[in-house]
Amino acid sequence: MQRIPEPELMDEAGQAMAYAHADFEAPHARFIELFRASFPEWPGEGQVLDLGCGPGDIAVRFARAYPEVTVDGIDGAEAMLAAGRCVFAHDPHFNASVRLHKVRLPQEQPPRRDYDAAISNSLLHHLHDPMVLWNAIAAFTRPGAPVFVIDLMRPGSREEAAALQRHHVGGEPEVLQRDFFNSLLAAFTVSEVADQLREAGLGHLSVEAISDRHVMVKGWR
């Protein structure tokens, strides 16, 4: 099945609030667990870049897991960032360790150029040009920084995408069901991601399928 791109930004207030209040406990907790398992020797210090942070849930979870870090979350959708600031307004980890920035790559840049780690969850499939993500990681992280990316993986057909939608988000609000289906169609395959990494000079990073719908990229910058 050929890739069908979707809009890069999720900038409708209702859509953003639906994501901010959705129950992502299982996948987002697993994101942190997989990062820990992938980089057990990382000291958990310094400046972390969260690319495509959305409302900031993973950024907050990362700050809780690693109290010595500061996380810069960047996203091009102001509605998503505003929803996150509302949801986490009284969260001490958010206020102490997380900063959300409206940055649309590649036209704009993150606050720093030498991050100590880079993470990203579900940004890649939104990008019309996937190299935007990999080039940003190459440009804005220091050598030796851990890189950890999880994203959706494109199934072989629309029928498979519909089955995954029914299985995984069948009970969610309609907007989340619709977006999940469209995101599956917009996602990349493992081999496509591997090609992108080589093009960006990040071919040493590993890439693998970790579920029926997710691909993981990890390694040291």
Side-chain angles (χ1 to χ4, degrees):
M1 179 178 64
Q2 293 295 311
R3 181 189 187 222
I4 303 175
E6 63 178 348
E8 286 197 326
L9 298 182
M10 302 173 70
D11 214 3
E12 297 177 5
Q15 184 183 37
M17 289 305 295
Y19 275 85
H21 290 284
D23 182 9
F24 291 120
E25 173 63 31
H28 288 186
R30 188 171 186 232
F31 184 99
I32 302 301
E33 292 169 1
L34 288 171
F35 182 94
R36 281 192 182 278
S38 299
F39 306 100
E41 66 273 50
W42 188 58
E45 301 172 346
Q47 307 286 331
V48 177
L49 177 62
D50 181 0
L51 297 113
C53 65
D57 185 64
I58 283 183
V60 171
R61 290 173 185 270
F62 202 90
R64 290 173 183 159
Y66 295 99
E68 300 303 316
V69 305
T70 299
V71 183
D72 281 337
I74 65 170
D75 202 285
E78 179 57 39
M80 281 288 186
L81 302 176
R85 294 187 186 105
C86 177
V87 168
F88 295 110
H90 303 294
D91 187 297
H93 293 90
F94 177 82
N95 291 306
S97 303
V98 177
R99 299 291 181 269
L100 302 183
H101 307 270
K102 186 178 183 298
V103 175
R104 186 166 186 182
L105 299 168
Q107 299 94 331
E108 301 169 319
Q109 297 185 350
R112 302 174 59 91
R113 297 192 61 88
D114 57 348
Y115 284 94
D116 299 294
I119 60 175
S120 182
N121 181 67
S122 296
L123 169 64
L124 182 62
H125 70 267
H126 280 290
L127 298 172
H128 293 174
D129 178 6
M131 298 310 298
V132 167
L133 172 61
W134 308 121
N135 289 339
I137 288 174
F140 300 118
T141 56
R142 63 172 181 78
V147 173
F148 189 72
V149 175
I150 290 182
D151 211 281
L152 291 174
M153 179 173 61
R154 191 169 76 249
S157 68
R158 293 180 69 93
E159 292 73 22
E160 289 181 38
L164 289 169
Q165 177 198 44
R166 289 192 297 271
H167 180 68
H168 292 292
V169 298
E172 298 294 336
E174 189 277 333
V175 63
L176 299 185
Q177 294 190 47
R178 179 201 67 200
D179 287 353
F180 181 76
F181 179 80
N182 291 336
S183 292
L184 287 172
L185 303 187
F188 296 95
T189 65
V190 170
S191 62
E192 288 170 344
V193 174
D195 289 342
Q196 296 162 15
L197 292 170
R198 284 190 288 269
E199 183 178 343
L202 299 172
H204 58 285
L205 301 180
S206 69
V207 53
E208 62 180 305
I210 58 169
S211 76
D212 59 358
R213 64 200 184 283
H214 288 117
V215 61
M216 176 175 69
V217 175
K218 64 179 181 179
W220 301 91
R221 162 73 173 84

